C-alpha cells in the first residue's frame, strides 16, 4: 500500500533527478512557452474529466462493486486518489502559468522548470493510477 500511495512522488523525484543529471534546460526547447500553454489546457481538461468521474462514482452508491469497495474500506482510498489527481492537475496549470511569466536564463527559470517537471510527472502518474482503478471497476461492473 505504501508504494501505491507514494508512487507518484517516487517517479516524479526520479524523473526530476534525471532531468538534472542530464542537464536538460528549458532553453533547449524552441517553443517552450507553447508547451507551457498547452500543459495548462491539458491539465484543466484532465481536472474536469476527473471531477466528472468522481461525481459519477458518488451516484453509483447502490452498485455491487461500489458496495464491496465500501465494505473493504477501499472506497475512501479511491476518492482520495481522485482528489489527489485533481489537485495535481490544478497545480500543473498553476506552475505552468507561473513559468510563462519567468524570463531570462537564470537559476529561477531553471528551478521553476524542475518544479514543473516534478508536477507534470507526479500528476501524470496520479492520473494513470486513477484511470487504472476506474477501469478495473468498470470491468467488474460490466462482467
Amino acid at each position: 500500500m505504501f508504494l501505491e500511495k507514494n508512487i507518484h512522488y517516487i517517479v516524479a523525484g526520479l524523473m526530476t533527478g534525471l532531468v538534472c543529471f542530464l542537464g536538460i534546460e528549458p532553453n533547449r526547447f524552441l517553443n517552450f512557452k507553447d508547451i507551457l500553454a498547452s500543459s495548462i489546457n491539458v491539465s484543466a481538461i484532465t481536472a474536469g474529466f476527473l471531477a466528472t468521474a468522481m461525481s459519477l462514482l458518488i451516484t453509483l452508491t447502490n452498485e455491487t462493486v461500489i458496495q464491496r469497495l465500501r465494505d473493504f474500506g477501499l472506497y475512501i482510498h479511491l476518492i482520495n486518489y481522485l482528489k489527489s489527481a485533481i489537485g495535481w492537475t490544478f497545480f500543473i496549470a498553476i506552475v505552468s502559468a507561473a513559468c510563462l511569466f519567468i524570463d531570462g536564463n537564470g537559476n529561477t527559470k531553471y528551478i521553476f522548470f524542475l518544479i514543473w517537471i516534478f508536477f507534470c510527472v507526479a500528476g501524470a502518474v496520479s492520473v494513470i493510477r486513477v484511470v487504472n482503478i476506474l477501469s478495473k471497476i468498470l470491468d467488474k461492473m460490466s462482467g
Side-chain angles (χ1 to χ4, degrees):
M1 198 72 167
F2 172 81
L3 188 61
E4 183 178 303
K5 285 185 178 181
N6 296 299
I7 190 70
H8 55 291
Y9 294 118
I10 295 166
V11 174
L14 289 173
M15 289 301 293
T16 305
L18 183 63
V19 167
C20 281
F21 178 74
L22 296 175
I24 299 172
E25 296 184 9
N27 298 335
R28 287 189 176 185
F29 305 99
L30 296 176
N31 56 352
F32 187 64
K33 297 262 185 193
D34 294 334
I35 294 170
L36 291 171
S38 295
S39 69
I40 293 170
N41 290 332
V42 169
S43 63
I45 290 167
T46 304
F49 160 76
L50 293 169
T52 302
M54 193 159 82
S55 67
L56 288 174
L57 265 180
I58 292 169
T59 63
L60 296 174
T61 55
N62 294 330
E63 292 292 330
T64 307
V65 176
I66 300 300
Q67 279 305 121
R68 286 187 188 158
L69 286 172
R70 285 178 188 252
D71 293 343
F72 291 116
L74 299 174
Y75 185 76
I76 191 68
H77 292 297
L78 177 58
I79 296 299
N80 287 336
Y81 291 161
L82 275 165
K83 290 191 302 188
S84 172
I86 291 169
W88 280 108
T89 55
F90 275 127
F91 285 130
I92 292 168
I94 291 168
V95 172
S96 298
C99 287
L100 280 173
F101 295 106
I102 297 174
D103 287 328
N105 298 326
N107 287 338
T108 304
K109 185 174 185 176
Y110 186 66
I111 289 169
F112 267 91
F113 174 68
L114 292 177
I115 292 169
W116 180 76
I117 292 291
F118 182 88
F119 276 69
C120 285
V121 173
V125 172
S126 185
V127 168
I128 289 168
R129 175 179 61 184
V130 168
V131 169
N132 283 335
I133 293 170
L134 291 176
S135 295
K136 289 176 185 177
I137 290 172
L138 289 174
D139 288 344
K140 293 284 185 187
M141 290 175 73
S142 64

